[in-house]
Amino acid sequence: RLPQHNLTVNASSLESLGTSYPFFMVNPTWILIQCDMSLKIALINMPFGFHIYPSIQLGTLSTLLKTHGCEVKSHYLNLHFAHQLGLPVYNQLCEKRFLIGEWLFSHPLFGDNPKNQDYMNHFEPHIEDVCRSIERPREFLVDVKTKMVPEFLKWSRDACDWGAYDVIGFSSTFNQNIASLTLAKWIKEKYPHVKILFGGSNFESDMGLEYFRVFPWIDYVVPGEAEDVLPKLVKYLEEGDGPVPLGVIHRCEGEVLYDEPEAMFGNFQDYAAPDYDEFFDQLREIDPQSSLLENPVILYETARGCWWGEKHHCTFCGLNASTMKFRSKPIEQVHADLALLSKKYDSFRFRLVDNILEMKYIDGVFGDLAKHNYDLHFFIEVKSNLTKKQIKTLAQGGAKVIQPGIESFSMNQLQEMDKGVRPLQNILCMKWAMYYGIEINWNILIGFPGETPDDYRQQIDLIKLLFHLPPPECVGSLWLERFSPYFQRPEEYGIKITAPGEAYPFVYDHPGLDHLKIAYDFEFETNNQIDQQLKQELFQTAEEWKQRHQSEQLPYLIFTKSMDFVTVYDQRPMESIKIRLEGPHAWAFICCNEAPKTVEQIRDYIREEMGKNPEDNLTENAIAYLEEKGLLYGERGKYLNLALPHNSNL
């Protein structure tokens, strides 16, 4: 039971869980193999780790520890705090920027320091947005920070006999870092003999070294993947002698030491499905009637790294710090793991945490699921250069939500990103995903070095032709992330890094911390000269797109096909328009329906339909007419029909 407090909170649980929950990269950092150890180990998941599904970090490690004879228990303390705070409120706070989740847990460590106290004033517009979204006043956040959080941390320290464990491991990803650091400190003070280990994406590279240097209660850090490192560390801790293994951050006579391991990662294919038993056991103890127990979302990892990033690292992407090499599980193993997890946890819903889908899975996994008419549902990340056939296979195999990495409709910006896709491919992905009933998560990003006013104007004009397709979640400015090419080689891209992310000095208000070393995002400057009014026009156009899809005047662009003509129904403008196409206009329109086609391909199609060579400029005139009507989009000599077929059998 949680301690009593003087807050009024919304304790109601979520009635349902949508499948469009934004995905954040996870790093299952600690993995143990062939250990057969006798150490007693606790794994802890702290707020603001997501409460709607278990931690794949803890699940992966739990499987491997238990398989090889270790006694291990996962403690989902984030579940307790989420239910105490109120699930809708907790859910919103998990998503908010400027490290607000970290700030709410920062009071015991940094709350008396001036910048930490000034956080709410400095980020006042953001605080107002947070308060609107959680439907709470500013005072609520203050009470959470100064009263509820300290009470929760004390309860967390005392509710379990942590002294019965030999090792306590914290996996820290995104806004669960300060909560983990504080509880680790309090446990170490109460039980000095317990060894404290940290891992996770917050402890990659310089970040882990700096946290370890400043916070002496951390005994060891395993940065990055640790397949070949952690077994040796656990053996070292059990035997108590010999050198600390390579790949482990540790101290020797007060000096912080770290030597890279001989191998950055082991054989990914050797690891079994994650163990989520304790997540569901603890959820049942807290809320036996929780809607999260009914057909829960199961996280699963089929691959690590990025096959595109191995060849072309997207310039703004900070994922895969030292693990870009793409590794995927055999198709047979994926099928077996999905069957096991579905049966074990009585669920049909999966969220693949892979950065990018292995292309052979489209037919090998999703095609097979479709063949057997299974009813599994998936969230997956894909590259947007998919064909209609591939999207259909994914849909029939259970892909309900995809995140295709669509960030722009500007050719110049996409080239600057090194995305390896064109606007035309992004549009085709959106068109056929919508046709086959797949929800798309995507955003428009701006602020790239080298962008021009033409990039904005092009997107604004094109967006108006796409109002019938799924709108973006938002238009947002580029983040400069650690580990991205922009961070590693800023001069090459005309970028000047000016400071750590704005929130770090206010949240981590500690005189000994180097914020440049712990920051994941950074403030920066470019030489861009984009008129603010043009930016605002892009924002307003995207917002109109979103509002139209939430209104009764839902925009659409569909067509019906007869033997000798095509009828197009256009509701993208506020009025309904009906366009009848015959002859070459209809044939050109149909030719470009499934995939982009060149002028020559369109001419050949018209020739086949006419039974003779078309007259001079007939093809070009048909294309020009369709472009004028906004029915065809052309790019570098290829054209795509923007309308969705009314026929449901394609």
Side-chain angles (χ1 to χ4, degrees):
R1 297 177 62 86
L2 290 170
Q4 296 296 314
H5 54 84
N6 59 1
L7 296 179
T8 301
V9 298
N10 184 347
S12 63
S13 62
L14 297 178
E15 293 298 325
S16 62
L17 173 62
T19 56
S20 60
Y21 207 87
F23 166 66
F24 294 99
M25 184 272 287
V26 296
N27 184 356
T29 302
W30 300 335
I31 296 182
L32 202 57
I33 58 174
Q34 299 176 345
C35 53
D36 295 324
M37 306 295 180
S38 60
L39 292 182
K40 190 173 182 182
I41 302 173
L43 306 174
I44 298 180
N45 196 44
M46 290 295 285
F48 275 88
F50 294 118
H51 74 285
I52 59 175
Y53 35 61
S55 162
I56 194 167
Q57 296 95 328
L58 269 61
T60 300
L61 180 55
S62 180
T63 290
L64 293 159
L65 287 168
K66 292 176 180 178
T67 299
H68 296 284
C70 296
E71 184 178 353
V72 58
K73 182 173 181 179
S74 297
H75 297 264
Y76 284 89
L77 301 183
N78 62 315
L79 286 178
H80 293 271
F81 188 73
H83 282 79
Q84 183 181 12
L85 187 62
L87 300 186
V89 172
Y90 184 90
N91 188 56
Q92 284 287 331
L93 291 174
C94 283
E95 294 292 339
K96 295 302 180 181
R97 291 187 55 195
F98 297 109
L99 301 177
I100 189 166
E102 301 284 40
W103 177 75
L104 288 170
F105 268 86
S106 66
H107 201 72
L109 288 182
F110 312 122
D112 293 332
N113 298 335
K115 274 187 171 291
N116 189 276
Q117 293 183 8
D118 192 43
Y119 176 93
M120 293 188 79
N121 293 327
H122 184 83
F123 294 101
E124 185 169 2
H126 178 60
I127 293 297
E128 291 176 356
D129 173 70
V130 170
C131 290
R132 281 193 300 270
S133 66
I134 65 174
E135 299 180 342
R136 299 290 189 278
R138 288 166 57 98
E139 292 75 21
F140 175 81
L141 295 177
V142 174
D143 282 350
V144 170
K145 182 177 189 283
T146 61
K147 298 176 183 178
M148 180 188 286
V149 161
E151 289 176 0
F152 168 75
L153 288 169
K154 290 175 184 176
W155 173 85
S156 299
R157 177 196 61 193
D158 299 332
C160 177
D161 180 13
W162 301 114
Y165 291 99
D166 302 294
V167 178
I168 296 179
F170 290 84
S171 179
S172 176
T173 303
F174 296 103
N175 289 325
Q176 58 182 166
N177 201 43
I178 292 182
S180 301
L181 288 169
T182 307
L183 182 59
K185 179 178 186 290
W186 290 6
I187 289 175
K188 190 70 172 179
E189 290 172 348
K190 189 173 182 179
Y191 305 104
H193 70 280
V194 174
K195 298 300 181 185
I196 301 294
L197 273 64
F198 267 77
S201 57
N202 282 327
F203 281 76
E204 293 266 7
S205 187
D206 286 347
M207 298 184 290
L209 285 163
E210 182 66 4
Y211 286 130
F212 186 81
R213 181 186 69 81
V214 173
F215 302 118
W217 55 87
I218 305 175
D219 294 299
Y220 302 99
V221 168
V222 181
E225 293 185 24
E227 287 90 340
D228 293 338
V229 176
L230 193 59
K232 300 170 186 176
L233 175 59
V234 173
K235 182 178 180 181
Y236 165 80
L237 292 175
E238 186 173 45
E239 295 179 352
D241 59 6
V244 177
L246 298 177
V248 178
I249 302 175
H250 62 285
R251 294 181 185 85
C252 182
E253 298 180 355
E255 184 180 359
V256 176
L257 301 177
Y258 175 70
D259 293 308
E260 288 190 354
E262 296 177 358
M264 293 305 294
F265 36 76
N267 189 355
F268 175 62
Q269 298 179 3
D270 290 342
Y271 306 110
D275 176 4
Y276 297 135
D277 291 359
E278 282 144 343
F279 172 84
F280 292 107
D281 289 344
Q282 291 165 38
L283 180 57
R284 288 187 190 94
E285 291 175 5
I286 297 170
D287 183 6
Q289 304 303 317
S290 173
S291 61
L292 301 179
L293 293 169
E294 182 66 29
N295 198 17
V297 176
I298 305 299
L299 301 189
Y300 179 61
E301 183 182 32
T302 70
R304 291 189 191 169
C306 179
W307 53 260
W308 173 254
E310 282 189 280
K311 299 175 290 185
H312 299 273
H313 190 173
C314 295
T315 54
F316 65 96
C317 177
L319 303 182
N320 302 299
S322 59
T323 57
M324 186 65 76
K325 180 177 174 57
F326 187 72
R327 297 145 285 152
S328 61
K329 294 181 179 179
I331 290 174
E332 298 76 16
Q333 184 178 357
V334 173
H335 281 294
D337 287 348
L338 292 176
L340 182 151
L341 291 167
S342 179
K343 181 178 180 181
K344 186 176 184 181
Y345 299 115
D346 193 20
S347 177
F348 296 86
R349 294 200 291 172
F350 287 88
R351 189 177 194 88
L352 302 189
V353 303
D354 314 351
N355 295 158
I356 190 169
L357 183 71
E358 165 67 270
M359 295 300 286
K360 68 183 181 184
Y361 291 162
I362 294 178
D363 291 322
V365 174
F366 289 91
D368 189 74
L369 294 173
K371 177 182 176 182
H372 289 89
N373 296 313
Y374 294 134
D375 294 315
L376 303 186
H377 291 181
F378 293 89
F379 171 98
I380 57 175
E381 290 202 57
V382 298
K383 193 169 167 61
S384 65
N385 59 345
L386 298 171
T387 65
K388 171 181 176 288
K389 181 181 178 182
Q390 289 172 326
I391 295 172
K392 181 178 182 179
T393 300
L394 289 174
Q396 292 177 338
K400 295 299 180 183
V401 186
I402 63 173
Q403 188 168 300
I406 295 173
E407 279 98 13
S408 178
F409 291 108
S410 160
M411 179 71 77
N412 182 47
Q413 285 180 324
L414 289 171
Q415 289 177 334
E416 170 64 32
M417 299 178 200
D418 205 2
K419 289 288 292 185
V421 295
R422 305 185 304 277
L424 202 59
Q425 292 170 301
N426 286 341
I427 297 170
L428 183 140
C429 179
M430 294 172 65
K431 170 180 173 175
W432 291 113
M434 184 176 186
Y435 177 82
Y436 288 114
I438 301 177
E439 183 179 339
I440 298 184
N441 288 352
W442 70 284
N443 300 297
I444 296 175
L445 293 183
I446 60 174
F448 288 89
E451 67 184 14
T452 68
D454 286 344
D455 298 327
Y456 285 77
R457 175 52 56 196
Q458 174 193 348
Q459 292 205 79
I460 292 168
D461 294 341
L462 179 53
I463 280 174
K464 294 175 182 178
L465 300 180
L466 305 179
F467 269 22
H468 61 296
L469 298 178
E473 294 183 24
C474 69
V475 176
S477 297
L478 167 73
W479 278 29
L480 197 153
E481 298 179 344
R482 185 181 291 274
F483 309 122
S484 68
Y486 283 160
F487 173 80
Q488 295 168 331
R489 305 185 303 277
E491 303 86 1
E492 181 179 325
Y493 298 97
I495 289 174
K496 180 181 178 182
I497 297 176
T498 58
E502 186 179 2
Y504 282 92
F506 290 87
V507 174
Y508 290 88
D509 189 5
H510 185 292
L513 266 174
D514 186 337
H515 296 115
L516 284 171
K517 290 183 178 179
I518 66 168
Y520 182 73
D521 62 279
F522 298 84
E523 304 299 312
F524 67 100
E525 296 175 352
T526 68
N527 294 323
N528 292 352
Q529 299 292 330
I530 307 298
D531 182 70
Q532 189 61 38
Q533 188 172 352
L534 189 59
K535 288 185 179 181
Q536 189 60 31
E537 186 178 353
L538 177 61
F539 279 103
Q540 290 173 346
T541 306
E543 183 61 27
E544 180 185 356
W545 191 355
K546 290 177 62 177
Q547 293 298 326
R548 286 288 305 278
H549 278 259
Q550 297 169 5
S551 72
E552 295 181 356
Q553 291 184 306
L554 184 69
Y556 56 78
L557 179 65
I558 59 175
F559 71 90
T560 57
K561 176 185 173 185
S562 185
M563 283 73 77
D564 299 314
F565 68 96
V566 171
T567 304
V568 181
Y569 302 89
D570 188 357
Q571 179 71 5
R572 290 172 298 177
M574 297 302 290
E575 59 177 334
S576 298
I577 300 174
K578 180 179 176 181
I579 304 172
R580 181 183 172 109
L581 303 174
E582 297 183 8
H585 297 82
W587 297 328
F589 181 83
I590 294 300
C591 177
C592 302
N593 179 46
E594 298 201 358
K597 298 295 174 63
T598 65
V599 174
E600 192 57 40
Q601 288 172 317
I602 298 171
R603 182 177 290 111
D604 290 344
Y605 188 86
I606 293 176
R607 179 187 299 116
E608 182 179 343
E609 292 295 327
M610 291 180 62
K612 62 179 180 179
N613 289 330
E615 300 172 5
D616 291 344
N617 298 325
L618 188 148
T619 301
E620 288 80 358
N621 291 340
I623 292 172
Y625 174 82
L626 295 172
E627 282 192 292
E628 179 188 351
K629 295 296 184 181
L631 306 181
L632 218 60
Y633 169 71
E635 177 184 289
R636 293 189 173 182
K638 288 191 173 183
Y639 299 88
L640 178 68
N641 173 353
L642 298 178
L644 276 72
H646 182 267
N647 189 315
S648 60
N649 299 313
L650 297 184

